[in-house]
Amino acid sequence: MSRKRDIEELEQRRRWAEQQGGEENVARQHQAGRLTIRERIDTLVDKGSFQEVGKLTGAGEYEAGEVQGVTPAPYVAGLAKIGGRDVVVGGEDFTIRGGTTARLDRRKGGQGGFSEDLAHQYRIPLVNLIDGAGGSVTSAKRRGHATFPGVDSFDRSVDLLAEVPVVSAVLGSAAGGPAGRAILSHWSVMVAETSQVFAAGPAVVERSLGQRITKEDLGGPDVAVAKGGTIDNVAASEEECCWMIRRYLSYMPQNVWQAPPQGPADDSVERADDELLTIVPAERRRAYHMRRVIELVFDKDSVFEIQPDFGTALITCLARLGGHVVGVVANNPMVYGGAMDVAEALKQCHFIELCDTFHIPLVFLVDVPGFMVGLQAEENGVLRAGMRAVYVASQATVPVVTCVIRKCYGMAGMATCQQRGVNLRIAWPSAEWGSLPVEGGVAVAYRRELAEHPDPKAREQELEAELREFSSPFRAAEAFGVEDVIDPRETRAYLHQFIAAAQSRLATELGPKARTGVRP
Amino acid sequence: MASVEIQSDVTGTVWKIEVKEGDTIAEGDTLMILESMKMEIPVVSTDAGTVAKILVTEEEPVAEGQAVALLNL
């Protein structure tokens, strides 16, 4: 009989957990346009796959030794499946004390804790659904002393970045620890209008600097995604956010000891679109849509762009080619002619390391006139950031194929090649390269001659035309200074053959990669 | 009537203005062409509407994020 009572109590306790912060707080969460943590997990994972761990955690109320109710701990975590593969998922329950830290013997997750230990030991991806504001000064009163920063260490979060895919979604106003946790991820996403992220929120900002600013203006996607690049992508809704997380993980292996999953090869690798022949305008000064080039070359509907709103002169995406996962890095001539500024350099560094870590071969579609020029760029440290991109490219060991669409100049051009590898560089007939573009370069190299010339403008144009003849990719191909010049329509088949062949190398290189040295 | 600002994505100079005030335009139409980094960079409309005001003149320098035209939706 008492066994039956035990089971009844267990079921009662589970029901209390499912009530979360109570009807009123759940309604408030919905009114704010947000899902509860349990709804989020349901939306994210394969139907019925969530095995919660620690459902009984919370603060119990007792009368004469009989439990009257339990206020659940404000964190829900467990094991689930996404696309049939195991993942660890966890997130704060904002309906309970605003998702603040629970007072448990062991953390459930978020910053260390059970969920991070599980992802680490089982070597499976971790998804953090973040909706909490972190520490509060009131905890010092409760404990009787102020806690030293790091009582909840980020060490496990840091280690995971070398082991398994880590995804974080910011789904409310995140400051402090939860905000920091979001950054220690391979990929992060936030939801437009309902989420903000910052080191410190408006109240702290006003007290510290006298600045009055709304939380949306301080940490909405316009700042956190487009300007700061703090968070990678924006979703229009929580549903879209969950879809994006599933999509992102579909390109990733379970851990760095495995190869990325092979997708369906239902788009013919021989597909050769005529549009590729005319997409680059004959007029050299005219820009074109690089995203269209990417669509035409890689498998249909396989392109997932990372950081589309930050460092917009560069495009980084995960895609498939004949079903093989590839990382695509392409310059965007629509923004500053594709020049590499600080944001572009940081974006490229992160993406290269991401692909290198998870054994995803890289394809560069190059149209880069060089590092960004001008006072603003120099003040921002473009040279240091740009050389960091060169440094990171040099350390990557995953196979790289470089396809030059138009411009490939200078040190930014060097960051698109893998000189220590096979260094396969192929070029479209529209390609041109050198240490710097002929325009501007002539003015520097022939400064004295031009100064003394009666018509310097005409002479400059004459010299430019003369030098441009040498920039034909066919001449470099004669010298094997570029490995091949191809018909743009052959790009897909050509790249595919090499990416498919590179799988042999990738299979022998699985495991974590140590990167040594000091990045510039 | 709702109106939107069309902003320049880049710092550069206005090279050629392709529309005039009162013109009806579709989303994606080129409003003007800027010159930046020796490239012609089109400023394309983010919405369909009519051109309410052109805020710059040819050869004028523009900054990244600067409003270059107003559109009535």
Side-chain angles (χ1 to χ4, degrees):
Chain A
M1 224 34 216
S2 80
R3 282 287 166 264
K4 188 161 175 256
R5 281 232 324 264
D6 286 346
I7 299 303
E8 277 168 10
E9 180 173 341
L10 177 62
E11 280 167 359
Q12 176 59 55
R13 284 174 179 266
R14 285 178 176 169
R15 281 195 296 276
W16 283 329
E18 280 162 15
Q19 285 169 7
Q20 305 177 92
E23 259 174 55
E24 201 177 308
N25 288 324
V26 168
R28 198 173 301 150
Q29 179 84 351
H30 288 154
Q31 273 156 22
R34 298 180 183 140
L35 300 176
T36 66
I37 180 61
R38 291 183 181 279
E39 291 164 343
R40 283 169 180 161
I41 292 171
D42 278 351
T43 311
L44 174 69
V45 306
D46 294 354
K47 208 171 161 52
S49 71
F50 182 51
Q51 175 56 61
E52 189 174 352
V53 175
K55 194 167 184 172
L56 306 183
T57 51
E61 279 169 53
Y62 290 85
E63 252 173 45
E66 285 288 309
V67 67
Q68 307 299 306
V70 176
T71 303
Y75 200 91
V76 178
L79 187 61
K81 285 183 193 287
I82 288 181
R85 299 190 298 164
D86 296 307
V87 293
V88 181
V89 58
E92 291 86 5
D93 187 341
F94 193 78
T95 67
I96 302 161
R97 297 198 315 271
T100 51
T101 314
R103 300 148 205 176
L104 303 171
D105 287 0
R106 181 184 185 187
R107 275 188 78 102
K108 294 179 81 175
Q111 204 171 320
F114 178 83
S115 67
E116 296 205 345
D117 291 344
L118 181 59
H120 164 74
Q121 208 210 348
Y122 283 27
R123 295 181 173 170
I124 51 184
L126 172 66
V127 179
N128 296 305
L129 303 172
I130 294 169
D131 191 0
S136 158
V137 291
T138 58
S139 69
K141 195 170 170 186
R142 194 180 76 238
R143 291 173 199 249
H145 67 276
T147 51
F148 200 87
V151 66
D152 293 313
S153 159
F154 275 129
D155 288 343
R156 178 69 88 204
S157 315
V158 168
D159 292 346
L160 284 173
L161 289 176
E163 299 170 348
V164 299
V166 178
V167 170
S168 292
V170 178
L171 301 166
S173 295
R181 182 67 196 86
I183 312 312
L184 292 175
S185 306
H186 293 106
W187 182 68
S188 58
V189 55
M190 66 192 292
V191 178
E193 286 165 28
T194 57
S195 65
Q196 299 84 26
V197 61
F198 19 60
V204 176
V205 168
E206 189 175 351
R207 183 77 171 78
S208 307
L209 302 172
Q211 283 177 358
R212 281 185 178 211
I213 187 162
T214 65
K215 61 181 181 178
E216 184 64 24
D217 287 345
L218 184 65
D222 286 351
V223 174
V225 175
K227 293 219 177 72
T230 302
I231 299 296
D232 294 323
N233 286 56
V234 191
S237 64
E238 291 207 18
E239 287 76 10
E240 189 188 54
C241 180
C242 290
W243 178 84
M244 288 168 84
I245 294 170
R246 295 176 64 94
R247 184 92 200 265
Y248 178 85
L249 289 174
S250 74
Y251 298 94
M252 291 288 143
Q254 287 293 82
N255 54 54
V256 301
W257 291 269
Q258 294 178 9
Q262 171 80 17
D266 45 13
D267 186 3
S268 166
V269 293
E270 301 300 329
R271 179 167 58 76
D273 279 282
D274 286 337
E275 194 183 336
L276 289 168
L277 206 52
T278 52
I279 199 161
V280 176
E283 167 58 61
R284 295 174 62 254
R285 286 163 43 87
R286 205 153 290 166
Y288 55 93
H289 292 289
M290 182 63 93
R291 285 188 178 85
R292 183 69 186 144
V293 176
I294 296 170
E295 272 172 27
L296 291 169
V297 169
F298 296 93
D299 292 356
K300 236 175 211 63
D301 302 321
S302 78
V303 179
F304 184 74
E305 196 172 339
I306 308 290
Q307 287 199 294
D309 305 320
F310 178 73
T312 51
L314 189 81
I315 300 166
T316 50
C317 20
L318 294 165
R320 282 199 164 80
L321 190 53
H324 299 294
V325 178
V326 290
V328 182
V329 181
N331 308 102
N332 180 8
M334 286 290 185
V335 181
Y336 292 115
M340 176 177 278
D341 207 338
V342 175
E344 284 75 16
L346 297 179
K347 179 172 169 177
Q348 182 161 319
C349 287
H350 175 84
F351 190 73
I352 302 294
E353 283 194 350
L354 173 76
C355 292
D356 194 37
T357 296
F358 291 107
H359 318 291
I360 298 171
L362 286 158
V363 174
F364 281 85
L365 300 177
V366 184
D367 188 357
V368 66
F371 292 155
M372 186 62 192
V373 300
L375 178 61
Q376 174 103 67
E378 302 294 351
E379 280 178 350
N380 291 338
V382 66
L383 187 53
R384 181 184 273 248
M387 290 314 291
R388 184 181 294 181
V390 173
Y391 182 94
V392 167
S394 170
Q395 287 198 328
T397 56
V398 81
V400 172
V401 183
T402 306
C403 178
V404 185
I405 309 295
R406 191 143 73 175
K407 294 174 183 166
C408 182
Y409 284 102
M411 296 177 287
M414 282 169 62
T416 70
C417 307
Q418 190 173 45
Q419 278 127 338
R420 19 166 137 252
V422 69
N423 202 18
L424 174 61
R425 297 156 302 176
I426 57 177
W428 286 12
S430 49
E432 49 172 285
W433 47 74
S435 49
L436 75 169
V438 168
E439 303 98 332
V442 164
V444 177
Y446 294 87
R447 184 180 309 169
R448 189 167 298 166
E449 183 185 336
L450 289 171
E452 288 164 3
H453 201 274
D455 188 351
K457 202 98 191 166
R459 180 63 188 144
E460 189 176 339
Q461 275 172 9
E462 212 174 276
L463 284 166
E464 281 180 10
E466 205 178 293
L467 290 171
R468 192 156 299 130
E469 264 180 46
F470 299 111
S471 66
S472 158
F474 294 116
R475 292 197 181 214
E478 282 176 25
F480 209 41
V482 64
E483 282 62 40
D484 228 331
V485 176
I486 62 168
D487 181 326
R489 292 169 297 188
E490 295 165 353
T491 309
R492 179 171 162 80
Y494 199 114
L495 288 176
H496 173 260
Q497 189 155 0
F498 280 87
I499 293 300
Q503 304 301 314
S504 294
R505 162 75 189 224
L506 293 168
T508 64
E509 237 189 4
L510 300 176
K513 288 187 183 176
R515 295 183 183 85
T516 54
V518 179
R519 281 190 190 195
Chain B
M1 198 180 326
S3 68
V4 291
E5 268 184 3
I6 306 295
Q7 296 177 348
S8 168
D9 286 337
V10 297
T11 298
T13 51
V14 180
W15 183 52
K16 222 159 45 179
I17 295 174
E18 306 260 273
V19 294
K20 51 188 193 310
E21 289 171 10
D23 282 2
T24 303
I25 53 163
E27 181 185 335
D29 280 1
T30 299
L31 302 180
M32 63 187 71
I33 297 170
L34 310 178
E35 190 184 340
S36 177
M37 292 295 284
K38 306 266 177 195
M39 293 283 288
E40 297 168 19
I41 309 289
V43 176
V44 296
S45 179
T46 50
D47 292 278
T50 54
V51 179
K53 201 159 175 56
I54 305 278
L55 301 168
V56 291
T57 56
E58 288 181 2
E59 293 189 20
E60 184 182 327
V62 291
E64 189 177 321
Q66 183 181 331
V68 293
L70 276 181
L71 214 63
N72 283 332
L73 300 182

